Structures are given as C-alpha cells and as structure tokens.
Amino acid sequence: MEEQGEFVIPATPQEVWDALQKPDVLQECIDGCEEMTLTEEGTFACVVAIKVGPVKARFTGTVKIVDPHPPHSYFLDVSARGGGAGFGSGRAEVELQAVPEGTRLNYQVRGTIGGKLAQIGTRLFQSFSRKMTRTFFERFSQRWVR
Amino acid sequence: MKVDLTVNGSEHAVDVADNALLSDVLRETLGLTGTHVGCDTSQCGACTVHLNGRSVKACTVLAGQADGGDVTTIEGIANGDDLHPMQVAFRANHALQCGFCTPGMIMSAIDLVQSADGPLSAEDVRDGLEGNFCRCTGYHNIVKAVLDAQANM
Amino acid sequence: MSAETGIGASVLRKEDARFITGKGQYTDDISVFGQTHCVFVRSPHARAKINGINTDAAMAMDGVIRVFTGDELVEDGIGDLPCGWVVNSKDGTPMVSPPHPPIATSVVNYVGEPYAFVVAETLQAARDGAEAVEADFEILEAVVDTATASSSAQIHENAPNNQAYDWELGDREATDAAFAKADHVTTLDITNNRLIPNAIEPRAALGSYDAASSTYTLYTTSQNPHVERVVLALFVNVAPEANLRVISPDVGGGFGSKIFVYAEETAVIWASAKVGRPIKWRADRTESFLSDAHGRDHVTKAELALSSEGEMLGLRVKTIANMGAYLSTFSSSVPTYLYGTLMAGQYKTPAIYVETQAVFTNTAPVDAYRGAGRPEATYVVERIVETAARELNMDPVELRRKNFIPPDAFPYQTPVALEYDTGNYAASMGKALELADSDGYAARKAASETNGKLRGRGYSCYIEACGIAPSQLVISLGAGVGLFESAEVRVDVSGSVTVMTGSHSHGQGHETTFAQLVSDRLGIPFESVNVIHGDTGRSDYGLGTYGSRSIAVGGSAIDRALDKIIAKGKKIAAHMFETTEDQVEFAEGQFSYAGSNEPKPFAEIAGAAYIPAVYPLDELEPGLSEKAFYDPKNFTYPAGSYVCEVEIDPSTGVTEIEKFVAVDDFGNVINPMIVEGQVHGGLAQGIGQALLEHGIYDGDGNLSTGSYMDYAMPRATDLPDFEVDMTSTPCTHNPLGVKGCGEAGAIGSPAAVMNAITDALGVKDVPMPATPHTVWETIQQGA
C-alpha cells in the first residue's frame, strides 16, 4: 500500500517540527488516539481505536523517528497490532519546506496491513487512511489558526 | 438478560448474554436447528426467520432486540402435517438440493409473496430473493417454486 | 415398480421431507453432552517463521480448557496431511510434497493457516482465548503470483523453484510435426481465475472420544467419510481404523471442497481424547474463504495448428498450475490426469502435447472444485477453437462439425490417453442450435444494435471424463486409493430393502435416485426402499462422492448387489417351484417358472429366505443380503453443446445473459428432474466463474476476497432461466448405461459465456471474470 500527499501548515518549519515531536500534540491530532507517550528519545508508544468498515479494534503500536534532519526531514517507522483485528506496519517519509504561506509538508507512506483488516477491510482501507491523514493535518493546522 | 419470545406459537422466557444473537437463541437455547448460519454477516440469508411477520436475518438480530416479539421459523410454518404451500412448491419444483439454504429461502419467499402488492413476475422473485444465496440450484427451480406457490397462498 | 417411480421417472425427492421442514441434521445441528467449543488461531501472515507461541494469557482466561499448538500434535505422533496421488515429472522423478503438519509448527505458509487452537467451555470463551494467543513471527517474503512463482523466493526447503512437478502428456514430436505443416496457428494466453468453492454450509466437525471403549466418533462435513477415516487412521495416526467412526450426516453442499482431509477435523478428533470431552468447531465464513481448498488458478499458453480448411492438426498446451502452499489431498491429479487428458475435447485432433508445471505459492491449497481440471481443459479447447474459427473466417459451428469425432468412430482412442466409449456430438449440437433459435439471431442482434447494445453468441462443446475411475489405471498413474464403490442391499423379512452405499449425498438426491433403481429392478414399491449413506459404522467401505461418480460407480455397485439378490432369490424360488434355478425367471417383481401358474412375488421369496422351510440349509445360507464392489472399466464421457447469447451495455460494461442453452448427453437417466437440477447448479457455478467470481490475494498474500462482500457469488438476479435438454448415447461399459452429470454444467459453461462476450465486443480475449469493470475497460481500450 502506498500513499503520498502534501499539506501547507501556517507555521514555520521549526514550529511544525517541534510540534510533531510532542506526544500530546500527536494524540490530539490522531483521530481515535487514546494514549501517546514518549518512551525514549524519538520513540512513542500509542493506543489508537479505529474502525474500518466491519473491523473495529484498538491498536497498540510504536512510532519511531528515524534519520531526523531538523527541521527538514525525517522518517517515521510505525508498527501496530490490533489483536484479532490484524496489524499494520509501514514507513513514512516526511519533508518540511518553507513556503510563503508557512510550511509545506510532503509525505510518502509505504505500508502493509494484515489479518482481518486486510481480509475484509482492504476495499475501505485506502479511503480510511486518506481520511485519517487529512483529519490529522486539519487538526494540526488548527493549532496555528485559532 | 431476560428475553421473552413467542416462537412458533410457544412462549419462551430465556436468559441470554447481552450479545446473544437471535440465531444463537433459536439454535442453541431452543434447539430449533432448522435455522442455519452460513456467513455470520447477513449476506447469505440461510438464517432468515420471521420476526413479527416480516423476514429478518437472525444472525444480525440481537436476541434482546426481539424481546416481546413473535418469531416464526421453518419449523413453524406447516399446520401439523399440512405443509405450507411454499414448502410444497419447493419440493414439487425440485427447488432444493443440499437443503442448507432452503429454510432461509422458504422464509424469505413467504414474506416476499405475502408482502407483494400483486402477482409477482419471475423478475420480481429474482429481485426479492437477492438476499439469499443458493449454491446448488442456480435459482432456476427456486423461481419456479415461488411463482407456483403464490397461486396457492 | 411403477412408471411413476421407476428408472426414467422424475420422482420427487424423499430427502426433501426433512429439508423443507427444518429437520435436516447437519454437523453443526448435532450437539452432544459435555461438548466444548474450539477456535483456531490462524496466521495473519502469508509466510513467516514462528519463533515462539505464548499461550499463557489464553490459558489463564475464564472458560478456556486447553490451548494446543502444533508441536503437541507432533510429539503425540500425529502425522502430516498427505496428498494421495503421486504425479511424476517428465524426468520420472516423483513430485515434491512438502511437510504439511495439520497445525503449523515452525513456519506458516498462507494467511489463515492454523498454528494453535483453543478449546473452551463456550464459543465466546474460545474466541476470546484465540485472540489472546501471541506468536512471535519473523515475516518472510511471500510468493503469490502463479506465473512468476518459480522465479520467486523459495517457500519449501525441498522444492527448488517452488516446483511440485513438471508433467507432460502426449507426443511432443508428433505435435511439433503437425505445427510444421500447419497453414494457420492460433495462439491464446489464458488465465483460469482462482475460485473459492463456497458451499453454503461452512465446514464443521464434532469429535468425541469414549475412553471406556477407546473409540473415537467424528461427525464432519465430508463428501467421503470412509476416505476421511482411512487417512486419519493410516497417515495421520489419530487412532486405529477400527476405533474410529466417521459420520457425514446431512452435508450442505460440497462441490469438491469437502473431499479433503483438513487440519480442523484432525485437530478436533485428536484433542477430544486429550481434553476428555467432545469438541465442536464450525467455520465462520471468512475462515471458509481462508482455509477451504480453492479451485482453478491456471496460467496457460495454448496453440492450435490448423489447415486452411479448418482441419485441426495439433494442439500444444503449456500450463502453470498454482497448488497453493501445500499439496492438498487430491490436488496433484487435478491439473494433470483430470486436465491434460481432456485436451482432445470432442475433436479428432491427431497430435496433442500438454505440459503442466505445478508451483507452490503462499496461498491456500488449491484442489478439486466442481469439474476439477476438466473446466480448465474445456476452457482452453473451446476458447481456442472459437478463436481459430474467427481467425479463419469460418463459422465456429462449422469448424467444430468438421472436426467432431464421428459417431461411427467409437470406441475412440484420443492422443491423450483416454478411450471414449460413445457419443454423438453433432446430435447435441443440432439440438442446441434449434433450442437457441439460431435462425432468429440476426434479427435479435440488429435489435440490440438499435438500442445501443452489443449482442454476441458463443458456443462450447465440452467433453469430460467422470465416474472416476478404473482402480488399476489410476493406481498405475500414482493414485494412493482404488476408486471402486461398494454397496450392500439388505432385504428385510417383509421384502422391504435397506441399501448401504459408499457414495455420499450432499445435495445429489441419492436417497431418491438409488431407491428408484432398486424399486425398478426388484419390482417393489419405491417407498419400501431406504438408502443409508455417510456413516463408516453402518456401511462397509466407500470412496464417496466427487467427480460425478455416484450413479456411474455407486449406482453400478448397487446394480451388481441386486444381481446377486436376484440370483439368490432364483435359487430359493427354484426350491419352492421344485425345479432348478436356471428355469426360474425374474421380471416385474415376480419369480416365475414355466411349469407353474403361480408366480412368487419378491416379498414372498424374501420371507422364505428368512423362514427357511423349503430349501436345504447346507446348500444355501438363510437370509437375503448381498454386497458388491464395482470397479469401473473406464471413465464415463458425458458431452454436450452449450450456446450462450449475451447483450452488453457498452456504457456500463454490464453483461446480461439473454439465453443459455445446454444440451447434454448423460446416456441413460434415472431421474431427469434431479439431473436437470445438477445441470442448473453447474451452469450457475460456471457462469459465476465467467462473470463474477475471483479469489484475489494482494501482493503480501492477504486474501482480499475473504467475505461475501468482496467475493461475488451469483445471486438470483445475476442468472437467467436456463434452457436444458438432453440427447442420449448410453455408456457402453457400466450396467446402467449411465454417465455422470454433476459437473457438466460447470465444465461447459465458462467458455460459452466468454466466447459470447468476445464475440459481442469483437475482441480476441477478455480476462475472466468478465466483470462490468473489465468489460468496460476492454471497450475503452478498443475505442
């Protein structure tokens, strides 16, 4: 599964970068995120409740920042397990670029899903993940708007 | 939780788990195994029964939702030894082979005929039975049977 | 006997009485005292090493009784699930059969493969327990694609290039020579889409162990309980055969998928002794999709050599067959002896060469599904014949007629091992064209055009080999079982009859058809014949029902037993008439003797057999009960002509089947109503394959079509009314003159539909299934 996109956030790259390191910010912006804790430098543990079509589950996972170049780029390695509902893992490449409106964030995700999620959720997963990403950046951008 | 059900004319007060399905109660608690479960996701229709006179898929009705309801299963449509016209027509037209989808198919077909405004065409029958899978008959004889039965209902 | 219930009458079915009233007894309807429930923990990965399984959390849960892993079965001496047919490669080496433990131990090789199972007091507790089982997987690269499997990562240590075997049949040199002198060669690349059988009754098992007698009883959804028993006893080592009773009660459809011996019933019956209580399991639908053996999944290149006049000179077929992750019970025979041998079709093509490479992938095992090899063969032959006709600008009917094996050429030896006993292909074709209103086609096509629609017509003239099979032939070809059938006819004192058959009915109506046969031959009322099947505790042995073998082999066995009953009846009657047995005639239910004007009805002889007053017991045993084992001399060769007419809406790509005509030759027919029903069902599955059904794995080996929301099965609205008729050339080598009818519809129909669609669109090929999207894309590419 592959996806890419870009968002323009009304803040400087450094502000965006800093915010993206904060567990409370991430928790607030990820739809269904119930817990987000920094377990060690650059590694978060999280619990996210999601519902994809007929599959509804609480996923427990880790997010790890890899190869950071503040405030320009980093990789995020994500892996999560949802018990009987399945699992997902992937890598996102994130790039920040200063633009007149603030910061343009480009991302590219490559990932896999498995278990029930893949068997009965595949049809819906692409649109689900797109919506989840959009929600994230909408909420994230709101921080600077209000 | 306590659930009161009238099933095939008999009253039952059953104590079931909150998440118990109507199909579980019929099969496991009341021993009415004529209602079959083929997919658990309300796609195949093998579990079709009547709840308050209309067909429902018993695998997607919680027993609690049916509280106080009147349920009819395949075991309850004949009048003693007198089979329901739909049962007669299914046999007369060879509208069943393995028999697994048959109870649900018959229960759907009865509701289809009973709730129709006028006589059903073959196309109406095919549309009306869209929610019931049969893997054996290719539906050809099922359509014939339903058309045949409606004349006697 | 009466005309209403004898051979050839459309008698309404006996078994319906219980099915229409909800009184059928399917495996999941049976519950026994003290029963526990079982849920399998299945791999979420297509290919992974198991570094460890932690069952502690599951074991600690309320209601969980035991959690078992594969290692425990191995330690207890439980063997692998075997493949019962050894196919040799071209170089003579036997196929590679990788280890296949029922419950995975060190590796998992497809999504859905069980690696543990939980036995609990309730189903809910078992489900919760299964969720709590944790495995440490090391994920490995998955191999999914059939065409590229042999050049992908190696799945099994003992299978280089992921190859199970590389098989051939036919004369390569003669075929090359035929191509060298051909005026025209038609080439076709064909993908035969993977199908998932989907009997509406999910697989289920209920196993129990009686410690007092050391006996096991397994209720399971099997098409062949005796085969299940012998495999579990002899290969899997669950229990001595004599201590294991397997019962297949009412079974809700099989279509091949319930032939095989699976992990689940193996685990359930084994564990019932460990737990000391009965264990029940029923698959949910997604489990069925993941773990039932799938069907088809071939990638083929076919070439047909012709003269300029349309004479078929040679056929070359090269197929890659996807076997899935392991070799299922009869999988190896499907793309070989049930496939390559059918490449002559109805035609006198003199030279044929077939190669099949069987490959492993990280997908569910692939095995026999309705037709098993023969639908794939028919699809190759009938698509390429139709394509050749178009390329040569010949009428596809004419090209076929020109090449049909003529009625006077039988018995006919094909270049691919089979000897057809009889047939009249032009007769079926003629009748089909008449029913299809061939003369009115041009007007219908013009009318479609006026409405902006595309109309097309396609033919398929299939032949198949069923009633499998002469035992010594199949054993010489690698089969590990004989393929005869058994029957026992027990005449009661009163003259009623109980028949024990080794065939198994899961929708075929044996209780009716076999009773007709017995009633007709013995001249006793249809109602006084009772047919028993599906219980190793009640009938001798049996090979079960698959490959359209019940009437041809099982019915012939009953017929043989009836011969013995009549012969003994004559001996008894001879004593009553005070004559010799060769003077006694038996007809229409009566034993008669020219020297007596008082014929003896069958019931009277039955009574005399058990109240032995008149015959010497040192010469003749009392009683009237006979057994027979019938081994077929050849396959039976049903054949037929199918015509399909479609109308396609080019704006949506939706294909409507406007007309489907099927004319089949099944030889003699016992119950035409039941036979037509079998054809209807076969057609539905074949049309399903052509238009809707496709089992799809994504690149990581996840089954994307794991529910009825994703796998499109034909619903009532997807299918037309069928026009079904028959011709008859009775089988020459079985006593009933019958041929199998269970698979014909599924064998013949996909090619007819696809020939019609390609005709409508004016293209060489459209991949199956021809979904609206696929058809629409094809139209756009052409535009």
Side-chain angles (χ1 to χ4, degrees):
Chain A
M1 188 159 301
E2 283 185 30
E3 218 192 303
Q4 53 182 17
E6 62 170 51
F7 286 89
V8 176
I9 298 155
T12 65
Q14 190 61 51
E15 286 170 324
V16 171
W17 180 271
D18 290 343
L20 283 172
Q21 317 292 320
K22 291 183 182 150
D24 57 324
V25 174
L26 295 174
Q27 179 170 352
E28 190 189 311
C29 297
I30 295 170
D31 197 22
C33 184
E34 295 172 353
E35 281 176 51
M36 179 69 73
T37 46
L38 190 66
T39 51
E40 56 183 283
E41 183 60 34
T43 302
F44 305 89
C46 60
V47 177
V48 184
I50 67 161
K51 184 177 181 310
V52 187
V55 183
K56 190 177 171 184
R58 187 165 279 118
F59 278 71
T60 311
T62 56
V63 179
K64 197 173 173 160
I65 294 173
V66 179
D67 196 15
H69 294 278
H72 303 298
S73 71
Y74 64 168
F75 292 99
L76 282 177
D77 280 359
V78 183
S79 79
R81 293 167 59 91
F87 62 89
S89 63
R91 166 169 275 208
E93 185 180 355
V94 180
E95 275 177 13
L96 305 179
Q97 205 183 346
V99 291
E101 301 91 331
T103 302
R104 181 190 291 133
L105 180 149
N106 277 293
Y107 71 93
Q108 232 175 340
V109 185
R110 208 164 279 177
T112 58
I113 54 170
K116 268 207 183 76
L117 200 56
Q119 287 139 27
I120 48 185
T122 320
R123 281 173 299 123
L124 310 163
F125 194 79
Q126 199 96 21
S127 61
F128 164 82
S129 68
R130 224 172 274 142
K131 180 164 170 271
M132 186 127 175
T133 312
R134 200 174 57 230
T135 306
F136 177 87
F137 285 109
E138 275 167 12
R139 289 183 186 174
F140 191 70
S141 302
Q142 285 297 314
R143 298 177 57 79
W144 286 278
V145 175
R146 62 182 170 226
Chain B
M1 66 189 290
K2 277 257 187 293
V3 174
D4 291 316
L5 292 173
T6 303
V7 181
N8 301 331
S10 306
E11 287 175 17
H12 299 272
V14 291
D15 197 5
V16 299
D18 292 358
N19 63 354
L21 300 168
L22 180 56
S23 54
D24 296 335
V25 172
L26 293 172
R27 289 180 55 82
E28 311 296 332
T29 314
L30 303 179
L32 295 169
T33 55
T35 299
H36 298 149
V37 177
C39 75
D40 320 87
T41 54
S42 73
Q43 303 287 312
C44 82
C47 64
T48 306
V49 300
H50 293 176
L51 176 60
N52 301 323
R54 294 307 303 268
S55 61
V56 295
K57 290 176 175 173
C59 79
T60 29
V61 175
L62 290 166
Q65 288 175 285
D67 189 24
D70 191 351
V71 178
T72 307
T73 70
I74 189 69
E75 290 95 341
I77 54 171
N79 185 4
D81 287 342
D82 283 342
L83 294 177
H84 188 281
M86 193 62 76
Q87 291 171 304
V88 174
F90 264 61
R91 178 160 188 256
N93 289 282
H94 188 33
L96 63 149
Q97 291 182 24
C98 79
F100 194 81
C101 77
T102 308
M105 197 66 87
I106 288 177
M107 297 311 284
S108 289
I110 291 173
D111 184 28
L112 177 65
V113 172
Q114 280 175 348
S115 56
D117 292 333
L120 297 164
S121 67
E123 202 183 334
D124 296 335
V125 174
R126 287 186 184 275
D127 284 343
L129 294 180
E130 248 229 317
N132 291 71
F133 273 133
C134 173
R135 191 61 156 163
C136 292
T137 66
Y139 306 100
H140 180 108
N141 287 343
I142 291 175
V143 175
K144 266 169 64 183
V146 178
L147 293 174
D148 191 9
Q150 72 171 346
N152 300 314
M153 278 174 67
Chain C
M1 185 199 83
S2 77
E4 289 82 48
T5 58
I7 289 176
S10 286
V11 185
L12 300 186
R13 300 197 321 168
K14 287 187 170 209
E15 42 273 84
D16 290 357
R18 62 180 187 274
F19 295 142
I20 58 178
T21 53
K23 298 292 194 296
Q25 282 282 289
Y26 301 86
T27 300
D28 193 38
D29 298 342
I30 297 164
S31 288
V32 291
F33 183 75
Q35 149 185 312
T36 64
H37 298 266
C38 171
V39 166
F40 288 85
V41 189
R42 297 179 184 279
S43 172
H45 304 293
R47 184 165 168 242
K49 242 169 91 179
I50 304 174
N51 288 330
I53 300 172
N54 187 342
T55 61
D56 296 348
M59 276 299 296
M61 291 176 78
D62 276 354
V64 170
I65 298 165
R66 280 286 292 273
V67 182
F68 294 98
T69 60
D71 287 337
E72 289 169 77
L73 279 81
V74 172
E75 283 158 21
D76 206 42
I78 295 300
D80 283 356
L81 298 175
C83 176
W85 195 312
V86 179
V87 169
N88 289 342
S89 284
K90 290 168 185 169
D91 60 9
T93 55
M95 71 186 188
V96 176
S97 192
H100 185 191
I103 305 296
T105 51
S106 55
V107 285
V108 284
N109 277 312
Y110 64 96
V111 169
E113 182 174 1
Y115 64 88
F117 60 102
V118 179
V119 178
E121 296 290 347
T122 65
L123 183 55
Q124 190 59 53
R127 280 190 188 130
D128 292 343
E131 296 238 330
V133 173
E134 293 254 346
D136 175 13
F137 289 113
E138 181 183 333
I139 300 169
L140 304 170
E141 187 190 338
V143 179
V144 178
D145 180 50
T146 309
T148 56
S150 62
S151 55
S152 304
Q154 186 171 333
I155 299 169
H156 299 289
E157 249 174 54
N158 61 345
N161 306 317
N162 292 321
Q163 181 178 297
Y165 55 76
D166 185 15
W167 175 87
E168 66 177 348
L169 181 69
D171 188 332
R172 180 201 283 260
E173 277 138 43
T175 308
D176 287 347
F179 275 82
K181 68 175 182 186
D183 299 316
H184 182 83
V185 173
T186 294
T187 304
L188 207 52
D189 291 308
I190 289 170
T191 299
N192 202 291
N193 42 322
R194 188 183 186 103
L195 302 178
I196 306 178
N198 271 301
I200 306 296
E201 180 205 22
R203 285 192 297 115
L206 169 60
S208 52
Y209 176 68
D210 176 38
S213 61
S214 310
T215 53
Y216 291 81
T217 305
L218 173 65
Y219 288 90
T220 189
T221 50
S222 174
Q223 298 177 218
N224 43 355
H226 289 89
V227 175
E228 180 94 33
R229 178 185 185 227
V230 73
V231 170
L232 288 177
L234 207 56
F235 297 94
V236 188
N237 312 322
V238 168
E241 200 175 352
N243 292 9
L244 176 60
R245 179 177 177 188
V246 179
I247 302 170
S248 294
D250 288 326
V251 173
F255 316 114
S257 68
K258 293 173 182 168
I259 300 171
F260 321 119
V261 179
Y262 287 95
E264 291 85 358
E265 64 261 24
T266 306
V268 160
I269 191 68
W270 171 80
S272 67
K274 304 293 161 209
V275 173
R277 285 170 64 184
I279 303 175
K280 185 191 260 189
W281 166 78
R282 172 183 71 81
D284 65 31
R285 185 50 58 179
T286 292
E287 276 187 289
S288 302
F289 273 104
L290 291 173
S291 67
D292 290 3
H294 295 180
R296 320 280 192 256
D297 204 339
H298 285 192
V299 174
T300 294
K301 185 179 189 68
E303 299 163 279
L304 179 64
L306 302 108
S307 74
S308 54
E309 288 79 39
E311 188 191 350
M312 289 159 60
L313 305 173
L315 177 66
R316 214 158 28 204
V317 179
K318 196 173 166 71
T319 293
I320 304 170
N322 188 346
M323 309 309 282
Y326 303 98
L327 293 180
S328 170
T329 316
F330 288 110
S331 57
S332 52
S333 64
V334 176
T336 51
Y337 295 109
L338 299 177
Y339 171 70
T341 51
L342 271 303
M343 287 299 171
Q346 300 188 352
Y347 312 108
K348 50 192 183 191
T349 316
I352 299 174
Y353 181 65
V354 188
E355 293 168 284
T356 300
Q357 185 193 27
V359 295
F360 295 108
T361 59
N362 294 109
T363 63
V366 178
D367 205 324
Y369 165 58
R370 201 171 196 166
R374 291 149 291 160
E376 297 92 314
T378 299
Y379 194 67
V380 169
V381 174
E382 289 304 293
R383 283 286 296 119
I384 204 164
V385 164
E386 193 109 349
T387 307
R390 290 171 191 166
E391 289 178 356
L392 290 171
N393 275 324
M394 281 181 73
D395 178 351
V397 172
E398 280 320 302
L399 184 117
R400 285 181 171 89
R401 280 195 174 128
K402 199 184 203 65
N403 289 283
F404 278 155
I405 299 160
D408 60 8
F410 295 99
Y412 177 82
Q413 176 63 53
T414 73
V416 275
L418 298 178
E419 186 188 87
Y420 300 164
D421 61 337
T422 182
N424 187 339
Y425 308 135
S428 302
M429 172 67 105
K431 200 165 195 176
L433 292 175
E434 208 175 288
L435 283 173
D437 183 22
S438 220
D439 297 342
Y441 177 70
R444 293 195 296 277
K445 188 169 171 72
S448 293
E449 264 165 36
T450 311
N451 296 325
K453 304 278 180 67
L454 305 167
R455 185 171 286 258
R457 184 170 46 167
Y459 307 91
S460 173
C461 297
Y462 79 92
I463 187 162
E464 70 126 331
C466 66
I468 185 167
S471 291
Q472 293 181 350
L473 172 69
V474 294
I475 290 166
S476 77
L477 296 176
V481 288
L483 285 166
F484 52 84
E485 196 47 87
S486 78
E488 180 177 355
V489 175
R490 292 183 194 168
V491 180
D492 305 316
V493 183
S494 63
S496 62
V497 168
T498 304
V499 178
M500 311 283 178
T501 171
S503 300
H504 183 272
S505 180
H506 28 279
Q508 293 87 343
H510 296 165
E511 288 162 51
T512 304
T513 304
F514 289 166
Q516 281 178 263
L517 172 59
V518 173
S519 143
D520 193 293
R521 281 215 61 198
L522 296 183
I524 60 173
F526 172 74
E527 294 73 22
S528 44
V529 184
N530 188 22
V531 178
I532 308 276
H533 63 86
D535 183 349
T536 64
R538 297 184 74 181
S539 60
D540 257 24
Y541 187 60
L543 277 308
T545 288
Y546 39 82
S548 305
R549 64 194 306 275
S550 295
I551 194 63
V553 191
S556 295
I558 294 171
D559 194 68
R560 282 289 166 80
L562 292 171
D563 287 345
K564 294 183 185 177
I565 292 284
I566 292 167
K568 183 162 181 189
K570 283 183 178 175
K571 286 183 185 167
I572 296 167
H575 287 284
M576 295 171 82
F577 289 128
E578 296 181 345
T579 180
T580 53
E581 58 186 279
D582 59 335
Q583 298 295 307
V584 179
E585 299 287 326
F586 181 72
E588 292 178 19
Q590 298 203 314
F591 292 89
S592 59
Y593 163 54
S596 165
N597 60 358
E598 280 185 14
K600 309 282 182 198
F602 181 78
E604 191 180 332
I605 297 299
Y610 290 94
I611 306 162
V614 299
Y615 57 91
L617 291 170
D618 52 349
E619 285 175 28
L620 203 52
E621 290 175 11
L624 193 53
S625 177
E626 297 287 354
K627 287 178 184 175
F629 289 81
Y630 175 79
D631 201 77
K633 295 189 186 70
N634 192 349
F635 293 88
T636 72
Y637 298 97
S641 275
Y642 290 0
V643 185
C644 176
E645 204 170 301
V646 299
E647 190 178 67
I648 294 170
D649 183 340
S651 61
T652 60
V654 171
T655 300
E656 293 282 351
I657 294 182
E658 294 284 304
K659 203 181 264 297
F660 201 103
V661 172
V663 176
D664 295 281
D665 175 355
F666 298 126
N668 295 336
V669 169
I670 313 287
N671 185 321
M673 174 194 81
I674 287 177
V675 169
E676 280 182 22
Q678 290 294 307
V679 174
H680 292 162
L683 293 178
Q685 289 178 11
I687 293 170
Q689 167 163 36
L691 295 182
L692 300 164
E693 297 181 37
H694 196 183
I696 300 169
Y697 283 89
D698 71 14
D700 298 321
N702 294 301
L703 182 65
S704 307
T705 52
S707 81
Y708 283 145
M709 288 168 282
D710 308 276
Y711 184 88
M713 292 242 293
R715 294 185 180 273
T717 45
D718 296 314
L719 295 171
D721 273 332
F722 307 117
E723 291 174 64
V724 171
D725 208 332
M726 289 174 216
T727 57
S728 176
T729 58
C731 171
T732 61
H733 57 79
N734 64 42
L736 301 170
V738 294
K739 307 176 189 176
C741 67
E743 298 161 293
I747 291 168
S749 54
V753 176
M754 298 309 294
N755 283 339
I757 291 173
T758 48
D759 179 48
L761 300 181
V763 297
K764 185 171 178 180
D765 194 28
V766 175
M768 279 200 292
T771 60
H773 180 75
T774 300
V775 170
W776 186 85
E777 272 191 332
T778 306
I779 294 170
Q780 299 313 305
Q781 281 159 11

